Amino acid sequence: MNTADILIIIAIIAALVLAVLKIVKNKRQGKSSCGCDCSKCGKCDKGTGYLSH
Amino acid sequence: MTLKELQIGSPAVITNVGGEGALRQHFLDMGVIPGARVKIIKYAPMGDPMELKIHGYQLTLRLDDAAKIDVTPADEYEDDKPEPSRKSKKSHPGLGETGKSHPEENSKPLPDGTLLTFALVGNQNCGKTTLFNQLTGSNQHVGNFPGVTVDRKDGAIKGHPDTLVTDLPGIYSMSPYSSEEIVSRNFVLNDKPRAVINIVDATNIERNLYLTMQLLEMDVPMVVAINMMDELTANGGTIDINEMEELLGVPVVPISAAKNQGIHELIEHAIHVAHYQERPLRHDFCEENDHGGAVHRSLHGIRHLIEDHAREAGIPLHFAASKLVEGDELIISQLALDDNEKEMIEHIVLQMETERGLDRSASIADMRYSFIHKVTGLCVKKPRKSKESIRSAKIDRILTGKWTAIPLFVLIMGLVFYLTFDVIGGTLQGLLENLIGTLSDITDKALTSGGVNPVLHGLIIDGIFAGLGSVLSFLPIIVTLFLFLSLLEDSGYIARVAFFMDKLLRKIGLSGRSIVPMLIGFGCTVPAVMSTRTLPSERDRKMTILLTPFMSCTAKLPIYAFFVDAFFPKNKALIMVGLYFLGILTGIIVAFLFRGTIFKGEAVPFVMELPNYRLPGVKNVALLLWEKAKDFLQKAFTIILIATVVIWLLQSFDTRFDLVSDQQDSMLAIIAGWITPVMKPIGLGDWRIVTSLISGVMAKESVVSTLEILFGQEVSLVMSKACAASLLVFSLLYTPCVAAIASIRRELGRKWAALVVLWQCTIAWIAALIVFQIASLI
């Protein structure tokens, strides 16, 4: 395994970790990751009973 | 005579509003009340519904509903009368302003640093989201269709971090007609915002003030923002703001949200009333001398009777009393009245009905509209006919014309798809593909010259570049389709489509309003499912949600383009359009099936406002496209990147994590092998295809990236045309992605979401089987 291999492995792992973190962050913020119109939708009822109606 | 029998262009006065329940209440709330003047503008191309003018705005109504409304011919429609000019005589009352005096009993200042929460409340399509964007600096999408805001959104006012504005869905009244109205009402009653910013459309002020009356009854600190003042004044109209402020008892601020005019003043007033908790100076709109004071005496009597119950339930007294008279079941149950009290109230209301000569709901609606007419009579000089409405009428002659509406709709949609898949999107996609290909070649050479391990080399070039690259190249097509959908919506055309498609959709058990979620479904199922909240009937909502996934979303485009390019390059456009039509056709068949089984009954009445045509704002459209592109790229570099790497690893290693020489021995082949037998009859028995379809559940674009990794460039050599056709049909119809399933679960619950997955997969399997068998014979 040469230096280039090590650097590539680090880069791939870093990219994957960042991707997972982004998904988790979006989920926590109530955003979806469907690539559509929902990144702005809020996706939560914030306790107003919205969904129960 | 009834409204149904009235001739086009003939003015009439409403004498009686028939019907019952929530729908009748909705008619009354929309201003269809005895005494109101109406004029029929036109009928939809198929003869139903009709478009009529009432209180200066356009409303659509089905003929069956129009038959329940009695009218008598009138000399002229009120808007045709010349308006007298008005000059302000009142000095500025100065409500909600620092430095001005206000009654001490009406002001209870909050401690400094308290979070000031505001609810942004207004009619549908009156510019709430535009104002929200101006107030908070956010970039929410704005549309020209009633009901764009289907979920509440929050944000702090720019430069005021201790504030929080909530943009609520557009509503016409505080009656529980649609779920949005209940949401907005509950938000004001239960979440208790510090103040309400009531946005009122100046060009349609009478109907908009109807909601204002009810907000005033709710006794919440409030500011009225009169929006679109620029449009009103440009057409010769004026509003005496001082007089209106005096009459309503709350600060009134003229604004133009689109042009960012008056926003600063609005913010100052809103913060002032919220901080000092200045409540409206007026909550009572009944006149002592109106028809012998029947409504006045009834409301005042009921208020005394329910005072303790209203206080205990936390419902503003004036609001509770009018809702009791209207017979609002939700409020009646919240007040927890004794049987004796209920009986007394019933007697009071019956007496009022006798004296007033109108039923309870009509009496309250009439009281509110009488007050509104008094206010507008004193302060509003309406424009004789706005440029916008003249322009809209001219455009409508063609776009909703009897013989032109449907051919033009087909032509417009055909043009949208042609431009998207061929001229604009297709060309840009080719350019992007070349760019990605060049980048892949450069990287390939760099990795080879750097002596990188062949496994890592394979992961980057055959895994990440092939998988991710194939998905990224579809960005132009997706953005282009959203561009056109956005232009159609923002211009006001989609509202017209709902109008003239109503009769057709009713044949499959739906209302014209269901066309909107379905058209949005061509973009993405998630917002389409959410937009069904504008439908006031639970039956229509459920049915529309279940049918929306049949409208092919943009995420499936990469799959179609990939297979059509590889197998049917000569009939590219035909097959693409054919797939869309197949989705629609399956939806129609399923709708008929639903209508005869689980969703028996009639579609919700079609009572909808038709907005004027507007030129879509460049900034609004650009922001929407940017959001789409950003979301797509974000998904590509998160979910699809992870999926790409995981699939590459699973197909490169066996269960002992040894590198495999034959992919048949890989972990992926073993996992997919369990499902393969089920897919064999439809020609998709290859474990690689099964794997790609499974990855598509996560995100539809993953199907292509997975196929690229597993097949490389040899898809067309391995699969037959029949298999490709079967896969195209299966991809079109099988389960929506997880995000769409989640949104269905949110709207309908777990059981329905699970049912949608199973149902869609079954239909997809049957359709693919038919296509595969037919294609195999050819």
Side-chain angles (χ1 to χ4, degrees), chain B residues 55 60 65 82 115 138 174-175 306 358 408 456 509 516 533 571 574 617 637 640 694 697 719 723 725:
Chain B
H55 297 295
T60 64
D65 297 321
L115 180 70
S138 81
M174 287 288 168
S175 304
I306 62 162
L358 285 175
L408 277 175
L456 282 176
V516 180
R533 288 180 198 173
N571 302 311
L574 186 73
F637 285 101
I640 294 166
I694 294 169
V697 179
M719 284 173 77
C723 288

Side-chain angles (χ1 to χ4, degrees), chain B residues 3-39:
Chain B
L3 187 58
K4 188 184 173 183
E5 292 151 358
L6 195 66
Q7 296 295 309
I8 292 176
S10 311
V13 178
I14 295 173
T15 52
N16 181 43
V17 180
E20 56 188 22
L23 172 65
R24 183 171 184 274
Q25 183 63 52
H26 188 55
F27 282 155
L28 298 168
D29 291 341
M30 297 291 280
V32 184
I33 52 166
R37 282 172 188 260
V38 285
K39 188 164 80 175

Side-chain angles (χ1 to χ4, degrees), chain B residues 563 676-687 689-690 693 711 718-728 730 764-765 768-773 775-776:
Chain B
F563 280 95
T676 308
V678 183
M679 304 297 276
K680 220 163 198 167
I682 59 171
L684 306 177
D686 191 307
W687 65 272
I689 297 172
V690 172
L693 288 171
F711 282 106
V718 179
M719 284 173 77
S720 67
K721 280 193 175 184
C723 288
S726 170
L727 194 139
L728 280 171
F730 191 84
W765 194 90
L769 181 72
I770 296 167
V771 168
F772 180 65
Q773 295 302 330
S776 300

